[in-house]
Amino acid sequence: MAYISDEDIAKVRDATDLVGLIGERVQLKQRGRQWWGCCPFHNEKTPSFKVDPASGLWHCFGCSEGGDAFGYVMRTEGMDFAEAVRFLAERVHIELTIDPRSAARKAQTDALRAVCAETARFYNEQLLRVKGSAQDAARAYLGKRGFGTNVATGWQLGYAPGHGQLFEHLKSKGHKPADMVTANVVVQRNGAYRDRFFERVMFPISDLQGRPIAFGGRVVEGLSAAPGAGMPAAKYLNSNDTPIFHKSDHLYGIAQARRSIIEQSCALVVEGYTDVIALHEAGFTTAVATLGTALNATQVRLLSRFAKRIVYVFDGDAAGQKAADRAVEFIEQTVMPEFASNPLQLDVVLIPGEADPAELVATPQGKEHLQKLIDAAGSLFEFAIDRRLARWNLDRPEQRQSALRDAVEVIASLHGSLLGSEYAQLIADKLAAAGSTVELRQVLAELEAAAARRDRQARGASLRGVVADEGAEGASGGQVFPEESQKARSVVSLLANPVKPGVSSQQDLLALVLLFPEVRQACWADFSPELFTEPAYRKVAEALYTYSPKTPQKKLDEELLKSFPSLPVLAERYGSMNEEESALETRTRVLIQQLHEAKLQSEVIQIKTQMRSSQDSDKLFETLIRRERELQELRAKRYN
């Protein structure tokens, strides 16, 4: 993403007519110096959406959404900050300054997008206009699904003939073979180029703006395979990750569903391309699908930009139930209500029998049946808890403890939150109903242990270390920090207590800045004790901050040991390998960025909570917008 200077951002913001921008979609009426209308982000009859042209800010007192022109475009168009700046810059005819390195990256991105766009056109032409038995079979397959010409056109469905036809077509259009390979629509083997997809019905995968960036293909049974290749092994085949596509970050159908998701504040998540299309055709236009993986935290955050409720819709067969079990494994604490700027409700629907969503809505009363299931959908977490408890015979006392350990794994990501405590009480109640004498404190203890296990697993190759109880000696009987000249330093963990979810980044940052002088000096200007919410880490950070970043490592170690005699000393190697100084510095800057964002996000949530009960809402509103603007601009650095 191209670098955008603060000066250009300010120019675009000042030049944008906020009332005119929002007025294109929202009917606004002036009251004094402000404009009011019904919020575009939730259904309301009484206007609570305020636009203040003097400050360049908007806010809804109904749903607590707010921001400036960039925030509005991000929310309505599904763009990130940098994309919103470019969008508004074009609107007000301001040319952004782009450095040469960013220009080169943009040129590659544009080339890959052009390859994907032409590939999608080629596949679509093959399906709709080319005669042949293979194309007939592809059309017949889609026809059985109820997908005619209009559907194929609207969703840009296609057919991949293979046999090098795509490669030759793209080459004739002037696209470079290297770009085709990088876009993963062509592969190179033994010096020869060949199409990645052959004899498959093709489903273009688009970004939020509807631009094709990848593809999914399904085998069409009955077709002859490419000579010598045999029938394609996998029934479904997706593009590999590329510079413009990461399957864990995208959702099939999001461009088509985005507007409806915003209007209804709800998203339906299914597992198949055809399920998405069938649901849209049946009127369920908020449906999206994952790309061969369980819905992860990144995708949940993406949907939470548009919706306050996410409903997982799974097939009722064994595979669907297993997928539902897996769903909660990828939910992180940061996407839950207490940790996000908008409340988020996660629900689940299991379709009765063994039908999939597309088959259900094809039945006479299928649409009404599905709508009733969605309206009555229960909590994803409670569903998963019940599934875990059902694995055990709760009539037998010896199995109840195992059931408890199994159930709390479901809510490990919620440890330390009010929601986590409520679900812990639910588990205690369910076990009590089965005759168990387990108390809430025991459930909470198991939850803490489960959270620690989850955090250790999630950190993986991240910074790890041996810890010691505060006040106890290290395993060696003393404390010895690594010598300054030792390049293959290890990084220590600083406390004995298991690291809570969301705290590991603080631990990692403190260890890096504490132990690596080069990193400390390079990142000192952005380092601050205020980044640390964990009291023990905050104390060490405050002590460290009193020294100059150029303080010799040996002296720093000796001085800190006076204040923190129990500071652990045993450590593992950093990521089990020797890392270059530049890699350590990059990791440190990323951690600082993440913790700055978390701090600002927490402040935003607190201000929104205060606004609900405060009489001085205008002053709080201004503070809120300043914090949200700081958060947006901080996030923009990810793309610069």
Side-chain angles (χ1 to χ4, degrees):
M1 195 71 68
Y3 173 81
I4 304 174
S5 68
D6 292 340
E7 292 77 9
D8 280 351
I9 291 172
K11 286 180 183 177
V12 173
R13 181 188 289 115
D14 294 341
T16 297
D17 175 6
L18 185 63
V19 173
L21 173 68
I22 296 177
E24 292 177 1
R25 292 182 178 173
V26 180
Q27 185 176 358
L28 298 173
K29 293 184 179 181
Q30 189 171 13
R31 299 180 192 168
R33 68 181 181 90
Q34 298 170 342
W35 296 72
W36 291 79
C38 290
C39 179
F41 306 123
H42 78 285
N43 294 324
E44 64 176 9
K45 296 181 180 179
T46 302
S48 62
F49 184 85
K50 179 177 74 172
V51 182
D52 185 349
S55 63
L57 305 172
W58 59 272
H59 181 77
C60 176
F61 290 93
C63 66
S64 297
E65 291 285 349
D68 57 8
F70 301 130
Y72 179 79
V73 172
M74 290 167 67
R75 187 76 167 84
T76 56
E77 301 299 330
M79 297 179 177
D80 60 44
F81 183 80
E83 289 172 333
V85 174
R86 290 206 307 274
F87 174 86
L88 290 176
E90 292 178 4
R91 179 186 172 96
V92 297
H93 308 293
I94 290 178
E95 185 175 350
L96 300 176
T97 304
I98 300 177
D99 65 47
R101 289 176 298 176
S102 295
R105 290 196 298 271
K106 185 177 185 300
Q108 185 198 31
T109 297
D110 290 345
L112 297 181
R113 284 180 176 149
V115 166
C116 289
E118 187 58 42
T119 298
R121 281 191 289 269
F122 173 78
Y123 289 154
N124 188 245
E125 287 286 323
Q126 287 284 321
L127 179 69
L128 296 181
R129 291 178 171 67
V130 175
K131 296 181 179 180
S133 59
Q135 286 79 0
D136 288 342
R139 288 187 281 265
Y141 164 77
L142 292 173
K144 289 179 181 178
R145 287 279 185 172
F147 303 156
T149 301
N150 290 339
V151 173
T153 301
W155 288 83
Q156 208 172 2
L157 306 182
Y159 173 72
H163 307 284
Q165 293 186 53
L166 173 64
F167 174 72
E168 294 298 331
H169 174 79
L170 292 175
K171 189 167 66 171
S172 72
K173 295 292 184 179
H175 295 286
K176 299 177 182 178
D179 291 334
M180 303 179 206
V181 173
T182 303
N184 202 225
V185 297
V186 165
V187 294
Q188 184 180 20
R189 293 176 183 169
N190 300 322
Y193 295 98
R194 56 179 293 184
D195 297 352
R196 170 168 169 74
F197 299 95
F198 67 91
E199 297 179 353
R200 292 177 183 268
V201 172
M202 299 303 296
F203 300 85
I205 300 166
S206 300
D207 61 15
L208 278 167
Q209 285 72 52
R211 299 171 296 196
I213 54 175
F215 298 88
R218 187 194 189 282
V219 168
V220 180
E221 291 86 351
L223 294 183
S224 59
M231 194 66 181
K235 185 176 181 180
Y236 287 98
L237 180 66
N238 289 332
S239 295
N240 294 332
D241 283 1
T242 72
I244 61 172
F245 169 69
H246 301 280
K247 65 180 179 181
S248 61
D249 295 345
H250 293 88
L251 293 161
Y252 181 72
I254 186 64
Q256 293 88 342
R258 182 188 64 195
R259 186 68 56 204
S260 293
I261 293 174
I262 291 174
E263 292 172 354
Q264 300 181 36
S265 198
C266 177
L268 305 180
V269 179
V270 295
E271 293 193 285
Y273 304 134
T274 55
D275 288 331
V276 170
I277 298 172
L279 288 180
H280 276 251
E281 293 301 305
F284 297 91
T285 54
T286 64
V288 296
T290 54
L291 303 172
T293 63
L295 189 71
N296 60 43
T298 301
Q299 293 163 330
V300 171
R301 289 193 191 97
L302 171 62
L303 290 175
S304 70
R305 288 161 58 180
F306 313 118
K308 295 184 184 299
R309 184 189 185 209
I310 297 175
V311 181
Y312 297 70
V313 182
F314 294 107
D315 300 354
D317 58 14
Q321 294 185 35
K322 186 176 181 180
D325 289 337
R326 291 201 314 269
V328 293
E329 297 176 9
F330 298 90
I331 303 303
E332 294 180 358
Q333 195 181 47
T334 52
V335 304
M336 297 312 298
E338 295 164 79
F339 301 90
S341 57
N342 298 304
L344 185 62
Q345 181 178 334
L346 301 177
D347 292 336
V348 62
V349 163
L350 272 184
I351 296 177
E354 296 189 357
D356 61 32
E359 292 168 340
L360 176 61
V361 296
T363 61
Q365 281 77 42
K367 298 178 187 178
E368 293 80 1
H369 190 185
L370 179 58
Q371 187 60 60
K372 289 179 180 178
L373 289 173
I374 293 170
D375 293 341
S379 161
L380 172 66
F381 286 100
E382 184 170 1
F383 169 84
I385 288 169
D386 288 340
R387 292 271 298 165
R388 294 291 182 97
L389 293 177
R391 297 175 181 176
W392 305 91
N393 182 356
L394 299 183
D395 292 332
R396 301 184 62 176
E398 65 271 19
Q399 291 203 29
R400 291 173 189 157
Q401 186 63 32
S402 298
L404 169 59
R405 286 194 296 267
D406 203 7
V408 297
E409 290 289 344
V410 171
I411 59 171
S413 63
L414 307 181
H415 175 248
S417 71
L418 176 61
L419 191 63
S421 298
E422 291 177 348
Y423 276 114
Q425 181 66 65
L426 179 67
I427 292 173
D429 292 343
K430 288 179 180 290
L431 289 172
S436 174
T437 58
V438 66
E439 297 179 3
L440 176 60
R441 60 179 180 80
Q442 294 172 278
V443 181
L444 292 174
E446 287 289 349
L447 176 58
E448 183 172 3
R453 289 193 298 271
R454 178 187 175 99
D455 188 71
R456 286 195 297 270
Q457 293 169 359
R459 295 180 68 195
S462 180
L463 300 177
R464 302 186 303 272
V466 179
V467 296
D469 287 329
E470 190 157 14
E473 291 185 339
S476 63
Q479 292 83 16
V480 182
F481 278 84
E483 291 297 327
E484 185 172 354
S485 61
Q486 182 182 349
K487 295 301 179 185
R489 290 188 185 87
S490 301
V491 179
V492 299
S493 293
L494 299 173
L495 295 176
N497 296 330
V499 179
K500 302 175 184 177
V503 177
S504 60
S505 294
Q506 298 179 38
Q507 185 185 73
D508 294 350
L509 174 61
L510 189 54
L512 281 163
V513 176
L514 179 67
L515 296 176
F516 296 91
E518 303 90 345
V519 170
R520 185 163 60 250
Q521 293 178 32
C523 303
W524 192 250
D526 296 319
F527 178 79
S528 169
E530 293 183 358
L531 297 175
F532 300 87
T533 59
E534 191 68 8
Y537 299 155
R538 180 74 170 260
K539 290 179 182 179
V540 180
E542 289 173 344
L544 176 62
Y545 204 63
T546 62
Y547 295 90
S548 164
K550 296 183 179 180
T551 301
Q553 186 70 34
K554 186 175 182 179
K555 180 180 179 181
L556 182 65
D557 295 344
E558 293 173 349
E559 292 295 324
L560 286 178
L561 281 172
K562 294 177 182 177
S563 301
F564 304 95
S566 61
L567 203 62
V569 296
L570 302 180
E572 297 176 287
R573 288 198 172 193
Y574 180 82
S576 301
M577 60 182 292
N578 297 338
E579 294 209 15
E580 298 293 333
E581 178 185 333
S582 59
L584 293 174
E585 181 181 333
T586 298
R587 184 185 290 268
T588 304
R589 292 192 185 281
V590 168
L591 289 169
I592 289 175
Q593 165 99 5
Q594 291 174 343
L595 292 176
H596 268 302
E597 285 189 27
K599 180 176 179 293
L600 284 172
Q601 185 78 352
S602 177
E603 292 179 11
V604 166
I605 295 170
Q606 291 175 9
I607 295 171
K608 286 185 176 181
T609 301
Q610 293 172 16
M611 287 179 66
R612 296 190 183 102
S613 58
S614 174
Q615 299 298 319
D616 193 6
S617 59
D618 283 345
K619 184 175 181 181
L620 285 171
F621 170 63
E622 293 176 0
T623 304
L624 171 66
I625 298 306
R626 283 198 300 272
R627 294 294 179 267
E628 288 186 330
R629 181 175 291 171
E630 291 173 16
L631 186 59
Q632 290 172 1
E633 293 178 354
L634 183 62
R635 285 172 173 166
K637 292 181 180 180
R638 296 179 187 171
Y639 307 101
N640 290 339

